[in-house]
Every structure is written in C-alpha cells, then in structure tokens.
Amino acid sequence: MMRQRILRSRLGSLSLRTQLVVLSSLLIALAIAVTALVAISAMRSHLTSQLDEEIQSNAGVITSNLLPSGSEINSTPRLAYTAFLLDSEGNVVHQFSTADESESTPLTGTWPRDRVEKLSATGFTVPSVSGHTQWRIMPFSTDSDQYSVIIATPLTQTNSTVALVGMLTIAFGMATLFAAIAMGWGLVSRAALN
C-alpha cells in the first residue's frame, strides 16, 4: 500500500508529457520483450524440429555402420553425431563419433531395450557430461532384439543461432524503443506548445 502511494506520488509529480512518454515506453518495452521471447522460442522449436528430421533421415545409415553384423554403407551423413550401440539392458557396446571432441559427450542416461522401443525416434535434449553444452538424442530400435541405438548430435550451432536471433531482436527492439521515446517526447512537446 505504501509502495503504491510512493509510486503514484512520484509518477503523479511528473509532467503530463513525461508521464505519457514513460507509460508508452513501458508498453513498447513490454511488447519488445514478449516479441523477443516468442521469436526465440519459435526459432529454437523450428531448428530442433529440423535437427530431429535430419537425425531420422540419417538413422538407417548410422545404424547400419554401427551394428556388428550390419553391412557397411560407405555413405557418411553430413550430420555431426555420436552414436551408441546398446545391448538389451542399455549398456554401451560400441560408440562412434564424428562430432568435435570439444563438445564433450552427451549424458544419455540408461536406455534398456523396452524403453527404446517405447520412445523410438523421439528426440530429447540432454546436457553433456561436462555440462557446458547440450545435445539432442534420439533412440532407435533395431531389427535385432539384441541391440538398440542412440544417435546424438550437439546443439551448439542451434544454440548459437538462437542466441544471435535473440541478440538481434533485443538490439533492434531497443533501437525502436529509443526512437519511439524520442519521437513521443517530440510529439508531446509540440502538442503542448500548440
């Protein structure tokens, strides 16, 4: 109650011009913040969805190259990935990686065969073992009851793109806010003179 009185008295003691500019600036800042959050969220969702599609489209090649009895396919996906061949209890039998070693490795958790079958071809975001990067993992069941596969790809590029979009959105939003403040101040000042 006391804080509201202080806020009212401070805002009320300002000139009408200042009050209009402050209130319109706050509304514009709120709109910029909401727009930035929506843009960042939509961009992250879209890029993650594209990454999931890329993992799924390369899963056959990666799985064939990873299975011990599989016929090797000389096709190499453009995707930077780490693939884990798991036994039926979820233990890693074999691991292969084309991802940069600075990305660490994904913290995959335990994936027994029944869990893989239930969540096959579903993407999950997980941290890395080192904790400084994120990975997108996707489990796949194989034709063999003995094995399943987890394919993981680092989210470094996705996170960089989202950060850049967020920074640009905020930068252009702030420029718009300052231009609106200057224009509002000028228009209100001109109207007060007339």
Side-chain angles (χ1 to χ4, degrees):
M1 183 92 163
M2 182 62 92
R3 186 180 171 133
Q4 289 177 347
R5 284 186 197 168
I6 293 171
L7 186 61
R8 282 187 200 152
S9 65
R10 284 184 187 168
L11 192 58
S13 67
L14 299 174
S15 69
L16 181 59
R17 170 178 43 187
T18 305
Q19 288 180 21
L20 286 171
V21 171
V22 167
L23 290 176
S24 63
S25 299
L26 288 174
L27 288 174
I28 292 170
L30 178 65
I32 290 168
V34 168
T35 301
L37 288 175
V38 169
I40 290 167
S41 177
M43 176 66 79
R44 180 179 297 282
S45 176
H46 177 71
L47 291 175
T48 302
S49 176
Q50 280 185 330
L51 199 56
D52 286 350
E53 289 172 12
E54 196 169 351
I55 291 171
Q56 287 176 346
S57 68
N58 289 298
V61 172
I62 294 169
T63 301
S64 293
N65 287 336
L66 197 62
L67 286 171
S69 60
S71 58
E72 278 204 27
I73 301 172
N74 291 328
S75 173
T76 305
R78 294 180 312 141
L79 181 70
Y81 68 91
T82 298
F84 302 93
L85 181 65
L86 309 174
D87 64 15
S88 60
E89 295 175 8
N91 300 313
V92 177
V93 176
H94 181 64
Q95 176 180 338
F96 180 78
S97 183
T98 63
D100 186 2
E101 288 186 23
S102 67
E103 302 288 346
S104 184
T105 56
L107 192 60
T108 57
T110 306
W111 288 88
R113 177 84 178 163
D114 58 337
R115 183 176 180 205
V116 170
E117 286 178 350
K118 187 167 47 170
L119 300 171
S120 186
T122 304
F124 300 93
T125 300
V126 298
S128 64
V129 172
S130 67
H132 72 277
T133 58
Q134 289 183 314
W135 288 71
R136 190 72 177 169
I137 66 167
M138 192 173 287
F140 291 95
S141 53
T142 63
D143 294 337
S144 167
D145 289 339
Q146 193 175 1
Y147 299 110
S148 53
V149 173
I150 289 183
I151 300 172
T153 187
L155 287 174
T156 308
Q157 187 175 4
T158 300
N159 289 341
S160 296
T161 302
V162 169
L164 178 63
V165 167
M167 185 181 70
L168 290 173
T169 303
I170 297 295
F172 284 116
M174 294 306 290
T176 303
L177 177 62
F178 290 132
I181 289 171
M183 190 172 69
W185 187 267
L187 290 174
V188 172
S189 296
R190 181 193 268 176
L193 293 176
N194 290 336

